[in-house]
Amino acid sequence: MDPVTEARAPEPLTEYAHRITRKVRAFDRRHPLLWDLHFTGFWVMAALIDYGGGGWRHNAHNLDVPGWLLFTLSLGLSVPLLRRRTHPGTVLAAMVPFALVNAWTGAALQAALLQLAVIYHIALRRALPDLWWATALVMAPVLVSVTRYGEGSWDQQIGSQLMSITVAALIGITVRTRRNYTEALEDRARRLETERDQQAQLATAAERARIAREMHDIIGHNLSVITGLADGGRYAAAKSPERAGQALDAIATTSRQALTELRRLLDVLREEEKNQAELAPQPGLTDLDQLLDGVRSAGLPVRTTTHGSPTLPPGRQLTVYRVIQEALTNTLKHAGPGATAEIELSYEEKAAVTVQITDTGNDRGADGPPRDGRGLPGMRERTALYDGTLEAGPRPHPEQGWRVRLHLPEETPQ
């Protein structure tokens, strides 16, 4: 398939579902109580409809259960769901007595199945050993019903309930594992960024100290000599013009020596930078594969599309590399779980290039990453060196995610 055609392929249905799920989760984080009220209200209405519409009679072992008791059991098995996320253990303990009465009277209300939602939250939020006592509490009403009414085989009823509990617990454990994995990746990215900044600061401080020592040895010493010669020449000028002339000659000689040593120091610094560049060259387009492999190993799928042939000088290659690196770093930090990224590089004549990096992450608003970060300002500074343009912002509606577009114009001869 042609790369351009592949890049413009329709969005998969699973990606659309992931986007909807992320929006629902984002709403839940902003308004947890509102979501809990809607969730609980839905199941309360479902339980009351089952009771009021007579649907419970299809599964009941005893059709003579008083209406007031059915109403109480319906509320007792649904209303506690309001606190299922913050206090799942307490909610389950509050629902079990109603479930026992439901089983003992033979009403067999379907609202008893709402205990499985609490099992899910126990697996999601509590220590995993808590599932054992939670399973025992949920199984107790089943044992009461089988013992009292004995309809169907024991292994069928008990096995069916155990299977439902297992499925609910496995879903909770899976979501919990995925959440922990995502948090670990985000924490790793933060620690790596902090370590990188600290190493840069230490290297800068060490280099400044080294240059300061060299400058002190060269300039400080020679300036002290020049000052002494100037003071001596001033006194000698009145009594011995010849001595004053000698002092001026010495000042000129010392100044030339200082200037020569200063040039040598600057040459050494440039030579060290050159040697370091030879040992550890600045990254370029040939290092993109290694960068993308690292990003993919961190959990972010990345797809690339290339148009034209890369014929850029090293400086432009470094700018393209750093912009892609920073854009992918922001995606890892801000896009959230399930995000993907796509890179499209278009090479033109005379070292012109256009790069677009898009992701399908969470909506980060018009301002994107925090304003006190260094990523976007750094990208813009690199782009400005080549009179280029950099655009960063949300993707056009209805697409979800973030887009960074870099354009470096044709290289003009100097």
Side-chain angles (χ1 to χ4, degrees):
M1 180 182 293
D2 183 72
V4 178
T5 305
E6 181 181 356
R8 297 178 181 176
E11 185 179 34
L13 181 60
T14 55
E15 190 59 41
Y16 177 77
H18 289 162
R19 192 168 67 217
I20 297 299
T21 302
R22 288 193 295 270
K23 288 184 177 180
V24 171
R25 289 176 179 172
F27 178 83
D28 184 25
R29 287 192 295 267
R30 294 193 300 269
H31 309 285
L33 180 59
L34 182 61
W35 178 259
D36 287 341
L37 287 173
H38 279 80
F39 181 87
T40 305
F42 173 82
W43 289 113
V44 168
M45 292 299 299
L48 294 178
I49 290 174
D50 182 53
Y51 145 68
W56 65 278
R57 297 178 181 274
H58 298 292
N59 301 309
H61 303 298
N62 178 15
L63 301 179
D64 297 327
V65 181
W68 65 269
L69 181 58
L70 293 172
F71 179 78
T72 302
L73 293 177
S74 298
L75 294 180
L77 292 170
S78 58
V79 172
L81 290 176
L82 183 63
R83 304 300 298 275
R84 74 197 182 282
R85 293 198 285 187
T86 56
H87 302 84
T90 304
V91 169
L92 184 61
M95 295 173 70
V96 166
F98 294 96
L100 289 171
V101 174
N102 180 51
W104 180 264
T105 59
L109 292 173
Q110 296 297 304
L113 295 175
L114 295 177
Q115 295 174 100
L116 297 177
V118 186
I119 291 290
Y120 163 80
H121 283 282
I122 290 177
L124 179 64
R125 305 174 189 280
R126 299 285 293 271
L128 294 183
D130 290 346
L131 284 173
W132 293 109
W133 63 260
T135 301
L137 289 178
V138 176
M139 288 301 300
V142 178
L143 297 176
V144 169
S145 178
V146 172
T147 303
R148 182 168 173 79
Y149 296 98
E151 295 184 7
S153 61
W154 280 54
D155 57 346
Q156 181 180 3
Q157 296 191 41
I158 295 177
S160 176
Q161 184 70 357
L162 284 175
M163 181 62 69
S164 300
I165 294 173
T166 302
V167 171
L170 286 177
I171 294 175
I173 293 173
T174 301
V175 174
R176 179 177 187 168
T177 302
R178 178 63 181 175
R179 180 179 298 176
N180 292 341
Y181 176 71
T182 302
E183 291 176 353
L185 287 180
E186 293 175 350
D187 180 67
R188 180 185 177 188
R190 286 192 295 269
R191 286 188 286 107
L192 288 175
E193 184 179 9
T194 301
E195 182 179 354
R196 181 194 64 189
D197 292 342
Q198 290 176 347
Q199 290 177 350
Q201 292 173 2
L202 290 175
T204 301
E207 185 68 13
R208 286 177 176 174
R210 186 169 72 89
I211 294 175
R213 287 193 299 269
E214 296 291 338
M215 297 291 286
H216 175 270
D217 292 341
I218 295 174
I219 299 179
H221 169 74
N222 287 285
L223 284 180
S224 297
V225 172
I226 291 173
T227 301
L229 290 172
D231 290 339
R234 183 182 60 183
Y235 290 109
K239 299 180 179 180
S240 177
E242 182 180 355
R243 296 279 305 272
Q246 294 175 352
L248 291 176
D249 291 339
I251 289 175
T253 302
T254 304
S255 299
R256 292 189 186 96
Q257 291 176 351
L259 190 57
T260 300
E261 293 184 17
L262 180 59
R263 289 198 183 103
R264 185 179 298 115
L265 171 62
L266 297 177
D267 290 340
V268 168
L269 292 177
R270 285 194 291 267
E271 185 66 23
E272 288 183 358
E273 291 175 359
K274 179 180 178 181
N275 294 336
Q276 290 176 359
E278 293 174 355
L279 295 175
Q282 291 281 22
L285 296 178
T286 56
D287 300 301
L288 272 181
D289 290 339
Q290 183 178 358
L291 171 67
L292 299 181
D293 290 340
V295 172
R296 292 186 182 109
S297 65
L300 176 65
V302 183
R303 182 174 60 179
T304 60
T305 304
T306 303
H307 309 278
S309 301
T311 56
L312 301 179
R316 293 191 171 219
Q317 290 190 35
L318 178 61
T319 297
V320 172
Y321 180 92
R322 292 304 187 195
V323 168
I324 293 176
Q325 182 184 46
E326 185 63 34
L328 294 179
T329 300
N330 286 336
T331 299
L332 281 172
K333 292 167 55 179
H334 304 289
T340 61
E342 182 176 344
I343 303 172
E344 184 176 357
L345 298 101
S346 300
Y347 299 103
E348 304 168 13
E349 297 181 355
K350 298 183 180 179
V353 62
T354 300
V355 184
Q356 181 166 278
I357 307 102
T358 57
D359 65 56
T360 58
N362 294 328
D363 186 3
R364 284 163 265 174
D367 295 333
R371 292 186 177 183
D372 57 353
R374 303 176 181 176
L376 287 178
M379 287 192 288
R380 290 193 172 95
E381 290 173 1
R382 291 183 180 275
T383 304
L385 293 176
Y386 301 97
D387 297 325
T389 57
L390 182 76
E391 300 172 4
R395 299 172 65 184
H397 185 77
E399 295 178 331
Q400 180 80 8
W402 194 259
R403 182 187 70 172
V404 175
R405 185 179 183 276
L406 165 71
H407 176 70
L408 301 181
E410 296 180 355
E411 189 174 22
T412 55
Q414 298 296 329

